[in-house]
Every structure is written in C-alpha cells, then in structure tokens.
Amino acid sequence: MNVTSFVDNNFKYIRHFINRDYGTLAEQIKKEKNMLSFYVEKDDLLVGYKIVKNDSVSNIYGFDCYVVRFYFSNVSTLHNEHQEMIYRDLLMSLKKEMEKKDGYYNLRIPTHMVDMVKAFNAIFEKPIFCGGTVEEFIFDRRVMQSRGSQLNIFEAEYKYLQENKELLLDMTYESFATYQGQYHISSVTEYQAGKIYENWIKDSLSVESKDKIIVAEYENQPIGFVTIGEDDFSVEGILSAVSSEKRQLGAYRSMIAYIINYAYLKGKAFITSTQFDNFIVQGTWNSLGLRPFYSIYNMHLECRKI
C-alpha cells in the first residue's frame, strides 16, 4: 500500500517531499486537525479540509468566494474502497456546508489521490472544471546561466522599482492580456477574470508587498521580472513578465537560473507553479532541471440562490 500524507501548501509540502518524511507530516496534520473546518479520522487515517474566504475575489464580484484546501494523513494514492468511502463522507460534509453558506467555491483536488477524485465525481454532480496547476522544484543544484550574456540580472531595490513602476506594470499587463486562468474558464466568473489578475499584478508590485523582485535589464532598461517569496526552506517564483519585444534575449530563462542559484547558495529549494497547458514555461523549467512534485485540479462550484 502506497501510504503518504499531503498538505495543500507548497512551502510546507516540499520539505517533506524532498526528505521523504511523510510520517512527520502525518503527525503535524493530526496535531493541527482542530484548525481544519472539518475532518474525518478512522484508525490511523485522517482526511480534512479548510474553507477560506478569498476576500480579493469576493470584492470584485460582489458575492462570497471561497477556496477549499485538503489535508490528508496516512492515506494511499492507490484505490481502496474503504478509503474512498471515507473521502465520500468528507465531501458529503463539505457539500452540506456549502449548501448552507451561499458562495462560489474553488475546490483544489490533488491529482495523485485517486480515491479523492473518485469520491468527488460521486458527490458533486455539476462542477465546473477549470483546469489545473503543476508545482515544480529543484534542490541542491547549481545551474549554468549560459544564455542572455547581454543581460543584467539582479534583485531590485525599492528606489529602482518606484522609478520603473509604470514600465513594469505596462509590461505585465501586456503579458497577461491573453492569459487564460481558471477564472477565465468558468462561465460564472469570466466577465471579470481580467480584474483578478490585474489586482494581483498591482499587489505584487506595491510598496506593501513583502515579495522580492528579480529584474532582467537590457541596455539599462528593465525587460522582465520575477517576484519571489521565501521561507527557511524554499524560494518560490510567483509572478513573472517579460517584454514581448525582447523575449528572444532569453530573459525569463536567465532570471529563473539566477533564482535557482540564489536558492542553492542559501541551501534552499526553488519551487514554482503554472497551469497544465503552459508548455513553454514548463519546457524552460525542465531544461534547467526542475521536475513536478504535485498538481491540482481546480473544480469550481456555484452555490448561490439567484
């Protein structure tokens, strides 16, 4: 039986994935089970979920929007009928809770939990499938920055960001103009989906943001950037954009290589994520040695009285 544990948080999960230390993760989930919205515990197995309101998205649409994340302790990734029934109990509780609380829900279903997927299909009749995301990582490896020799890659200071803010914003809006994320796919949210990503861009480049920003400069002008978050174990690539007129210079690959080496020097993993269908970006990551460590199906459900 392929027993593992899972938490829908890439900063937390990656350290257990790299160390193959799922026992510690299982104990951590059990210790913090009372922080979950609901859980089912049978023998040594525990499955649960946490519902969190997405305030920024709710403000855009004028109705409550929620994200549902799942937590699993000592479960199998292989099919087991008894286990599937436990997942059904979990999701039936979630369905009842959703029916009592009007809103728009994004359920993040881990793709490698086959019984969770089977249980979801049995409990929810009309979900909106909104694609998925894949998380990738690299650890304990330095990479060569062979391309983009004409580029200057560096961590931007506050003064630089303020002086070039409008240029960076315009570059990002242009990059995201044709972006099709999960909220674009849903017929319920597509009419304001662009606003979600516009706000995300503004927040990432705001004074209040705690993210560091790595910039690619060509001929003393910024032509691309990647925002990064960081904890004691990992560095995460979050938001990126490259000028459409300068993409042939290899700025994106050079910035990711820079961040990988930044993480390496600190003894940390580099992690990042994108949509399933973003093959060009995944190709760049794979050429640098990144590989996937988990992925998510985004299943949307509308529980609102119209």
Coordinates of all heavy atoms in Angstrom, one line a residue, residues 5-35:
S5 N 1.2 11.3 3.0 CA 0.4 12.4 3.6 C 0.6 13.6 2.7 O 1.5 13.7 1.9 CB 0.9 12.7 5.0 OG 0.7 11.5 5.8
F6 N -0.4 14.5 2.8 CA -0.4 15.7 1.9 C -1.0 16.9 2.6 O -2.0 16.8 3.3 CB -1.2 15.3 0.6 CG -1.4 16.5 -0.3 CD1 -0.4 16.9 -1.1 CD2 -2.6 17.2 -0.3 CE1 -0.6 18.0 -2.0 CE2 -2.8 18.3 -1.1 CZ -1.8 18.7 -2.0
V7 N -0.4 18.0 2.3 CA -1.0 19.3 2.7 C -0.9 20.3 1.5 O 0.1 20.3 0.8 CB -0.2 19.9 3.9 CG1 1.3 20.0 3.7 CG2 -0.8 21.2 4.4
D8 N -2.0 21.0 1.2 CA -2.0 21.9 0.1 C -1.4 23.2 0.4 O -2.0 24.2 0.5 CB -3.5 22.1 -0.3 CG -3.6 22.9 -1.6 OD1 -2.6 23.2 -2.2 OD2 -4.8 23.2 -2.0
N9 N -0.1 23.1 0.6 CA 0.8 24.3 0.8 C 2.2 24.0 0.3 O 2.8 23.1 0.9 CB 0.7 24.6 2.3 CG 1.6 25.8 2.7 OD1 2.7 25.9 2.3 ND2 1.0 26.7 3.4
N10 N 2.6 24.6 -0.8 CA 3.8 24.1 -1.4 C 5.1 24.4 -0.5 O 6.0 23.6 -0.5 CB 4.0 24.7 -2.7 CG 3.9 26.3 -2.8 OD1 3.9 26.9 -1.7 ND2 3.8 26.8 -4.0
F11 N 5.0 25.5 0.3 CA 6.2 25.7 1.3 C 6.3 24.6 2.3 O 7.4 24.2 2.7 CB 6.0 27.0 2.0 CG 6.5 28.2 1.2 CD1 5.6 29.2 0.8 CD2 7.8 28.3 0.8 CE1 6.1 30.3 0.1 CE2 8.3 29.4 0.1 CZ 7.5 30.4 -0.3
K12 N 5.1 24.1 2.8 CA 5.1 23.1 3.8 C 5.4 21.7 3.2 O 6.2 20.9 3.7 CB 3.8 23.0 4.6 CG 3.6 24.2 5.5 CD 2.3 24.0 6.3 CE 2.1 25.2 7.3 NZ 0.8 25.0 8.0
Y13 N 4.8 21.4 2.1 CA 4.8 20.1 1.5 C 6.2 19.8 0.9 O 6.7 18.6 1.0 CB 3.7 20.0 0.4 CG 3.6 18.6 -0.2 CD1 3.3 17.5 0.7 CD2 3.9 18.3 -1.5 CE1 3.2 16.2 0.1 CE2 3.8 17.0 -2.0 CZ 3.4 16.0 -1.2 OH 3.3 14.7 -1.7
I14 N 6.9 20.8 0.3 CA 8.1 20.5 -0.4 C 9.2 19.9 0.5 O 10.0 19.0 0.1 CB 8.7 21.7 -1.1 CG1 9.9 21.4 -2.0 CG2 9.0 22.8 -0.2 CD1 9.6 20.4 -3.1
R15 N 9.3 20.4 1.8 CA 10.3 19.9 2.7 C 10.1 18.4 3.0 O 11.1 17.7 3.2 CB 10.4 20.7 3.9 CG 9.2 20.7 4.8 CD 9.3 21.7 6.0 NE 9.4 23.1 5.5 CZ 10.1 24.1 6.1 NH1 10.8 23.8 7.2 NH2 10.0 25.3 5.7
H16 N 8.8 18.0 3.1 CA 8.5 16.6 3.4 C 8.7 15.8 2.1 O 9.2 14.6 2.2 CB 7.1 16.5 3.9 CG 6.9 17.2 5.2 ND1 7.3 16.7 6.4 CD2 6.3 18.4 5.5 CE1 7.0 17.5 7.4 NE2 6.4 18.6 6.8
F17 N 8.4 16.3 1.0 CA 8.6 15.6 -0.3 C 10.1 15.3 -0.5 O 10.5 14.2 -0.9 CB 8.0 16.4 -1.5 CG 8.2 15.8 -2.8 CD1 7.2 14.9 -3.3 CD2 9.3 16.0 -3.6 CE1 7.4 14.3 -4.5 CE2 9.5 15.4 -4.8 CZ 8.5 14.6 -5.3
I18 N 10.9 16.4 -0.3 CA 12.4 16.2 -0.6 C 13.0 15.2 0.4 O 13.8 14.4 0.0 CB 13.1 17.6 -0.5 CG1 12.7 18.4 -1.7 CG2 14.6 17.4 -0.4 CD1 13.3 19.8 -1.7
N19 N 12.6 15.3 1.7 CA 13.1 14.4 2.7 C 12.4 13.1 2.8 O 12.9 12.2 3.6 CB 13.1 15.1 4.1 CG 13.9 16.4 4.1 OD1 15.0 16.4 3.5 ND2 13.4 17.4 4.8
R20 N 11.4 12.9 2.0 CA 10.5 11.7 2.1 C 10.1 11.4 3.5 O 10.1 10.3 4.0 CB 11.3 10.5 1.5 CG 11.6 10.6 0.0 CD 10.2 10.7 -0.8 NE 10.4 10.6 -2.3 CZ 10.6 11.6 -3.1 NH1 10.5 12.8 -2.6 NH2 10.7 11.4 -4.4
D21 N 9.8 12.5 4.2 CA 9.5 12.4 5.6 C 8.0 12.6 5.8 O 7.5 13.6 6.4 CB 10.3 13.4 6.4 CG 10.1 13.3 7.9 OD1 9.5 12.3 8.4 OD2 10.5 14.2 8.6
Y22 N 7.1 11.7 5.3 CA 5.7 11.9 5.4 C 5.1 11.5 6.8 O 4.0 11.9 7.1 CB 5.0 11.0 4.3 CG 5.4 11.5 2.9 CD1 6.1 10.6 2.1 CD2 5.1 12.7 2.4 CE1 6.4 11.0 0.8 CE2 5.5 13.1 1.2 CZ 6.1 12.3 0.3 OH 6.5 12.7 -0.9
G23 N 5.9 10.8 7.5 CA 5.5 10.4 8.9 C 5.4 11.7 9.8 O 4.4 11.9 10.5
T24 N 6.4 12.6 9.6 CA 6.4 13.8 10.4 C 5.2 14.7 9.9 O 4.6 15.3 10.8 CB 7.7 14.6 10.2 OG1 8.8 13.7 10.6 CG2 7.7 15.9 11.0
L25 N 5.0 14.7 8.6 CA 3.8 15.5 8.1 C 2.5 14.9 8.6 O 1.6 15.7 9.0 CB 3.8 15.5 6.6 CG 2.7 16.2 5.9 CD1 2.7 17.7 6.3 CD2 2.8 16.1 4.3
A26 N 2.4 13.6 8.7 CA 1.2 13.0 9.2 C 0.9 13.4 10.6 O -0.3 13.8 11.0 CB 1.3 11.5 9.1
E27 N 1.9 13.4 11.4 CA 1.8 13.8 12.8 C 1.4 15.3 13.0 O 0.6 15.7 13.8 CB 3.0 13.5 13.6 CG 3.3 12.0 13.8 CD 2.1 11.3 14.4 OE1 1.6 11.8 15.5 OE2 1.7 10.2 13.9
Q28 N 2.0 16.1 12.1 CA 1.7 17.5 12.1 C 0.3 17.8 11.8 O -0.4 18.7 12.4 CB 2.7 18.3 11.1 CG 2.5 19.8 11.1 CD 3.4 20.4 10.1 OE1 4.5 19.9 9.8 NE2 3.0 21.6 9.6
I29 N -0.2 17.1 10.8 CA -1.6 17.3 10.4 C -2.6 16.9 11.5 O -3.5 17.6 11.8 CB -1.9 16.5 9.1 CG1 -1.2 17.1 7.9 CG2 -3.5 16.5 8.8 CD1 -1.2 16.3 6.6
K30 N -2.3 15.8 12.1 CA -3.1 15.3 13.2 C -3.1 16.3 14.4 O -4.1 16.5 15.1 CB -2.7 13.9 13.7 CG -3.0 12.8 12.7 CD -2.6 11.5 13.1 CE -2.9 10.4 12.1 NZ -2.5 9.0 12.6
K31 N -1.9 16.8 14.7 CA -1.7 17.7 15.8 C -2.5 19.0 15.6 O -3.0 19.6 16.5 CB -0.2 18.1 15.9 CG 0.1 18.9 17.1 CD 1.6 19.2 17.3 CE 1.9 20.0 18.5 NZ 3.4 20.3 18.6
E32 N -2.7 19.4 14.3 CA -3.3 20.7 14.0 C -4.7 20.5 13.4 O -5.3 21.4 12.8 CB -2.5 21.5 13.0 CG -1.1 21.8 13.5 CD -0.2 22.5 12.4 OE1 -0.7 22.6 11.3 OE2 0.9 22.9 12.8
K33 N -5.3 19.3 13.6 CA -6.6 18.9 13.0 C -7.7 19.8 13.4 O -8.7 20.1 12.7 CB -6.9 17.5 13.3 CG -7.2 17.2 14.8 CD -7.4 15.7 15.0 CE -7.6 15.3 16.5 NZ -7.7 13.9 16.7
N34 N -7.7 20.4 14.6 CA -8.7 21.2 15.1 C -8.8 22.6 14.4 O -9.7 23.4 14.6 CB -8.6 21.4 16.6 CG -9.0 20.1 17.4 OD1 -9.8 19.3 16.9 ND2 -8.3 19.9 18.5
M35 N -7.7 22.9 13.6 CA -7.7 24.1 12.9 C -8.4 24.0 11.5 O -8.6 25.0 10.8 CB -6.2 24.6 12.6 CG -5.5 24.9 13.9 SD -3.7 25.3 13.6 CE -3.9 26.8 12.6

